Amino acid sequence: MPVAVVTDSTAYLPPELLEQYDIAVVPLYVVLGAGSGREGESIGPDEVAQVLSTRGGRVTTSRPSPDDFAAAYRRLLDAGAERIVSVHLSAELSGTWDAARLAAAEIGGDVVTVVDTRSAAMGNGFPVLAAARTARAGGDAAAVAAAAEKAAGVTRTFFVVDTLEHLRRGGRIGSAAALLGSALAVKPVLHVVDGRVVVLEKVRTSARAMNRLVQRVVEEVGGGVADLAVHHLAAPEKAEQLAADLRDQVPTVRDLYVSELGAAIGAHVGPGAVGVVVAPEPADRVAHDAEDPAED
């Protein structure tokens, strides 16, 4: 593997894709009360949802250390990788990218390239997947990093939460926006812009918010081919209904993944959160798959 691809645990790629493309994952840390653990290893979404559903329950997160990344990079280099492209969630939302950058400097800037997707969840995962596919096709490190950056530039994330309080506590949204949601009893539709969580529009009910999610995706896809990912925390019924609506309203969808958010992102959006990530298909991949429909 001349170029290895690394990401963090907030990409939430399906396990089969991680295995298929040999993508290495460095987990974030999640703190529940007096205990802490690695996301996806010792702490999962069920524990986070349970704590956040308890009055006064708090969950915090922390980035992997530079040593965590350096150890992962060395393992890949020892296994035969010549270069590494490390693709991560927004530096505006987490110090993970910075920890990866510090580790890359220790290993060697000519060996490890670090990419900030300026997003999270499958807004990070789709760029990781684009990088891994390019690496599998024989692309060099520059091409692999460029594929991640290109995918990150066109991927869009929309979501709704039951309350903005968890985002406010974690510093992921301003107090004014959080107050607006609670005081006016509106359900903001949120999106990620330049790596930050921003209120896109305000609606009066949860049903309208879910409808707007579907409408925004339809507008974003615009008749083109796209991959979609539906995420949720402790809201599987809402997620499945959203996925069904998207399959009905977006006939050009190629792949649609439905998954529960992990502990690190779930800690900031809270139980009941539902969202969708839109990844327009590159024209070159559509053409390639048309020639070889058996590809992945």
Short mmCIF file of all heavy atoms in Angstrom, two decimals, residues 20 42 51 54 56 62 120 127 140 142 167 192 202 217 244 251 268 277 289 292-293:
data_model
loop_
_atom_site.label_atom_id
_atom_site.label_comp_id
_atom_site.label_asym_id
_atom_site.label_seq_id
_atom_site.Cartn_x
_atom_site.Cartn_y
_atom_site.Cartn_z
N GLN A 20 -12.73 -2.88 3.74
CA GLN A 20 -12.51 -3.01 2.30
C GLN A 20 -11.36 -2.15 1.81
O GLN A 20 -10.57 -2.57 0.96
CB GLN A 20 -13.79 -2.64 1.55
CG GLN A 20 -13.66 -2.73 0.03
CD GLN A 20 -14.95 -2.32 -0.67
OE1 GLN A 20 -15.98 -2.11 -0.04
NE2 GLN A 20 -14.89 -2.22 -1.98
N SER A 42 -14.53 1.50 23.90
CA SER A 42 -15.07 1.25 25.24
C SER A 42 -16.32 2.07 25.53
O SER A 42 -17.02 1.79 26.50
CB SER A 42 -14.01 1.55 26.30
OG SER A 42 -13.53 2.88 26.17
N VAL A 51 -26.79 8.86 29.39
CA VAL A 51 -26.33 9.92 30.30
C VAL A 51 -26.99 11.24 29.97
O VAL A 51 -27.45 11.98 30.85
CB VAL A 51 -24.79 10.05 30.24
CG1 VAL A 51 -24.33 11.29 30.98
CG2 VAL A 51 -24.13 8.82 30.82
N THR A 54 -30.47 11.85 31.19
CA THR A 54 -30.63 11.99 32.64
C THR A 54 -30.47 13.46 33.01
O THR A 54 -29.57 14.14 32.52
CB THR A 54 -29.56 11.16 33.38
OG1 THR A 54 -29.68 9.79 32.96
CG2 THR A 54 -29.74 11.26 34.87
N GLY A 56 -29.25 16.70 34.25
CA GLY A 56 -27.92 17.11 34.70
C GLY A 56 -26.79 16.27 34.14
O GLY A 56 -25.62 16.52 34.45
N SER A 62 -12.63 14.69 24.07
CA SER A 62 -11.29 15.25 23.88
C SER A 62 -10.64 14.59 22.69
O SER A 62 -10.96 13.45 22.34
CB SER A 62 -10.43 15.11 25.14
OG SER A 62 -10.24 13.73 25.46
N ALA A 120 -17.95 16.93 9.77
CA ALA A 120 -17.89 15.84 10.74
C ALA A 120 -18.84 14.75 10.30
O ALA A 120 -19.59 14.90 9.34
CB ALA A 120 -18.25 16.33 12.14
N PRO A 127 -15.27 12.23 2.27
CA PRO A 127 -13.93 12.58 1.79
C PRO A 127 -12.90 11.50 2.10
O PRO A 127 -12.00 11.25 1.28
CB PRO A 127 -13.62 13.88 2.54
CG PRO A 127 -14.96 14.50 2.76
CD PRO A 127 -15.86 13.34 3.06
N ASP A 140 -1.04 8.83 -6.21
CA ASP A 140 0.01 9.19 -5.27
C ASP A 140 -0.58 10.02 -4.14
O ASP A 140 -1.78 10.32 -4.12
CB ASP A 140 1.15 9.91 -5.98
CG ASP A 140 0.72 11.22 -6.65
OD1 ASP A 140 -0.40 11.71 -6.36
OD2 ASP A 140 1.50 11.75 -7.46
N ALA A 142 -0.40 13.13 -3.34
CA ALA A 142 -1.00 14.40 -3.74
C ALA A 142 -2.39 14.17 -4.31
O ALA A 142 -3.33 14.92 -4.03
CB ALA A 142 -0.11 15.11 -4.76
N LEU A 167 -25.22 21.47 22.04
CA LEU A 167 -24.29 22.19 21.17
C LEU A 167 -23.75 23.43 21.88
O LEU A 167 -22.58 23.79 21.75
CB LEU A 167 -24.98 22.58 19.87
CG LEU A 167 -25.21 21.45 18.86
CD1 LEU A 167 -26.21 21.90 17.80
CD2 LEU A 167 -23.91 21.03 18.20
N VAL A 192 -23.53 22.72 8.32
CA VAL A 192 -22.13 22.99 8.61
C VAL A 192 -21.57 23.87 7.50
O VAL A 192 -21.63 23.50 6.32
CB VAL A 192 -21.31 21.69 8.74
CG1 VAL A 192 -19.85 22.00 9.03
CG2 VAL A 192 -21.90 20.80 9.84
N LYS A 202 -35.45 28.35 10.34
CA LYS A 202 -36.22 28.02 11.54
C LYS A 202 -37.63 27.60 11.14
O LYS A 202 -38.28 28.28 10.33
CB LYS A 202 -36.27 29.23 12.48
CG LYS A 202 -34.90 29.70 12.93
CD LYS A 202 -34.98 30.92 13.82
CE LYS A 202 -35.32 32.18 13.02
NZ LYS A 202 -34.22 32.59 12.13
N VAL A 217 -32.14 18.33 0.73
CA VAL A 217 -31.37 17.31 0.02
C VAL A 217 -31.77 17.27 -1.46
O VAL A 217 -30.92 17.21 -2.34
CB VAL A 217 -31.54 15.93 0.66
CG1 VAL A 217 -30.89 14.85 -0.19
CG2 VAL A 217 -30.96 15.93 2.07
N ALA A 244 -36.27 6.47 4.11
CA ALA A 244 -37.32 6.06 3.17
C ALA A 244 -37.80 7.24 2.33
O ALA A 244 -38.01 7.11 1.12
CB ALA A 244 -38.48 5.43 3.93
N PRO A 251 -34.48 9.84 -6.54
CA PRO A 251 -34.33 8.57 -7.28
C PRO A 251 -32.92 8.34 -7.81
O PRO A 251 -32.58 7.21 -8.16
CB PRO A 251 -35.34 8.71 -8.43
CG PRO A 251 -35.55 10.18 -8.59
CD PRO A 251 -35.42 10.76 -7.22
N HIS A 268 -22.52 16.05 21.51
CA HIS A 268 -22.76 17.46 21.21
C HIS A 268 -24.12 17.73 20.58
O HIS A 268 -24.59 18.88 20.60
CB HIS A 268 -21.65 17.99 20.32
CG HIS A 268 -20.30 17.96 20.96
ND1 HIS A 268 -19.98 18.77 22.04
CD2 HIS A 268 -19.20 17.21 20.72
CE1 HIS A 268 -18.73 18.51 22.42
NE2 HIS A 268 -18.25 17.57 21.63
N VAL A 277 -26.20 13.68 5.27
CA VAL A 277 -25.02 14.19 4.58
C VAL A 277 -25.16 13.86 3.09
O VAL A 277 -25.47 12.72 2.73
CB VAL A 277 -23.73 13.56 5.13
CG1 VAL A 277 -22.50 14.13 4.42
CG2 VAL A 277 -23.62 13.79 6.64
N ASP A 289 -18.01 3.59 -12.93
CA ASP A 289 -18.93 2.57 -12.47
C ASP A 289 -19.87 2.09 -13.57
O ASP A 289 -20.29 0.94 -13.59
CB ASP A 289 -19.75 3.10 -11.29
CG ASP A 289 -18.89 3.26 -10.05
OD1 ASP A 289 -17.79 2.69 -10.03
OD2 ASP A 289 -19.33 3.96 -9.11
N ASP A 292 -17.84 -0.42 -15.37
CA ASP A 292 -17.55 -1.61 -14.59
C ASP A 292 -18.50 -1.68 -13.39
O ASP A 292 -18.18 -1.33 -12.28
CB ASP A 292 -16.10 -1.55 -14.08
CG ASP A 292 -15.71 -2.81 -13.30
OD1 ASP A 292 -16.51 -3.77 -13.32
OD2 ASP A 292 -14.64 -2.83 -12.71
N PRO A 293 -19.73 -2.14 -13.62
CA PRO A 293 -20.73 -2.13 -12.55
C PRO A 293 -20.42 -3.06 -11.39
O PRO A 293 -21.03 -2.99 -10.35
CB PRO A 293 -22.01 -2.59 -13.26
CG PRO A 293 -21.52 -3.33 -14.46
CD PRO A 293 -20.25 -2.66 -14.88
#
